[in-house]
């Protein structure tokens, strides 16, 4: 289950990056680069911080193949994604839920404190999107009013609460990712926002 979620998250973020780049009218090489950094940006930062080098995608070419596939699907079916913003949002949300879990699990595997694990999960989920938005000349979603990183933190808390119940790992992963994805969908649907701080 964990490996499957990892592949799904990588694919989702690759497609999210590709769709953003196409919306910015980049050439095919530019679209691929944005897809690539969106998919591996968060994981790369996480691995560097925990001293796991070479980073994950350099040791397993499967990630590269999954990113190429996601890039290809986004290119081939770009006309099917008639509501580009909706498609981008859905892929980004799936990646958010899955990559939070992966960061949490990496932290647990080396014995880090739950608070640090949640921070790692949040960085894993968000940093690829931050890099994508910066390269595409947009204010990163994490810094806008939309609830984004906060959902990852909430998901991390849910994860450790469920883990204390000693649930089966597959159920734990699936439930946590569904919670994160569901909360973000509801946040957008019902317009839940964090208040902005204005300088007066």
């Amino acid at each position: 289950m964990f490996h499957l979620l990892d592949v799904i998250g990588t694919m989702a973020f690759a497609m999210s990056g590709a769709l953003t780049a196409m919306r910015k009218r980049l050439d095919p090489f530019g679209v691929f680069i944005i897809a690539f950094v969106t998919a591996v940006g968060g994981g790369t930062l996480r691995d560097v911080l925990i001293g796991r080098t070479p980073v994950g995608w350099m040791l397993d070419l499967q990630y590269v193949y999954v990113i190429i596939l996601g890039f290809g699907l986004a290119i081939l079916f770009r006309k099917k994604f008639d509501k580009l913003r909706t498609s981008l949002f859905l892929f980004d949300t799936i990646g958010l839920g899955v990559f939070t879990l992966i960061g949490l699990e990496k932290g647990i595997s080396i014995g880090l404190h739950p608070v640090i694990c949640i921070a790692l999960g949040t960085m894993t989920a968000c940093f690829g999107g931050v890099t994508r938005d910066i390269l595409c000349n947009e204010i990163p979603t994490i810094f806008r009013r939309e609830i984004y990183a906060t959902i990852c933190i909430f998901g991390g808390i849910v994860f450790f609460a469920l883990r204390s119940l000693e649930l089966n790992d597959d159920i734990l992963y699936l439930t946590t990712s569904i919670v994160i994805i569901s909360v973000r969908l509801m946040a957008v649907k019902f317009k839940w926002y964090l208040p902005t701080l204005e300088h007066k």
Side-chain angles (χ1 to χ4, degrees), residues 91-126:
F91 288 127
D92 195 50
T93 300
I94 293 169
L96 196 70
V98 171
F99 273 42
T100 299
L101 266 181
I102 293 168
L104 290 168
E105 192 61 36
K106 296 290 185 183
I108 291 169
S109 69
I110 59 172
L112 295 178
H113 189 278
V115 172
I116 305 302
C117 291
I118 291 172
L120 276 180
T122 302
M123 284 187 282
T124 304
C126 297

Side-chain angles (χ1 to χ4, degrees), residues 179-199:
V179 166
I180 294 170
I181 291 168
S182 299
V183 171
R184 190 176 185 215
L185 291 173
M186 288 190 295
V188 171
K189 179 176 177 59
F190 297 111
K191 298 183 174 10
W192 297 341
Y193 296 111
L194 293 176
T196 55
L197 297 176
E198 298 180 9
H199 176 69

Side-chain angles (χ1 to χ4, degrees), residues 49-120:
L49 287 175
I50 64 177
R52 182 174 178 264
T53 55
V55 296
W57 62 268
M58 292 182 174
L59 297 173
D60 188 352
L61 277 180
Q62 182 182 26
Y63 292 103
V64 178
Y65 298 146
V66 169
I67 292 167
I68 292 171
L69 179 60
F71 161 75
L73 290 173
I75 294 289
L76 288 174
F77 296 105
R78 64 189 183 278
K79 291 183 179 178
K80 298 288 185 182
F81 297 126
D82 50 348
K83 294 181 179 178
L84 200 57
R85 286 184 178 274
T86 302
S87 302
L88 170 60
F89 167 74
L90 289 174
F91 288 127
D92 195 50
T93 300
I94 293 169
L96 196 70
V98 171
F99 273 42
T100 299
L101 266 181
I102 293 168
L104 290 168
E105 192 61 36
K106 296 290 185 183
I108 291 169
S109 69
I110 59 172
L112 295 178
H113 189 278
V115 172
I116 305 302
C117 291
I118 291 172
L120 276 180

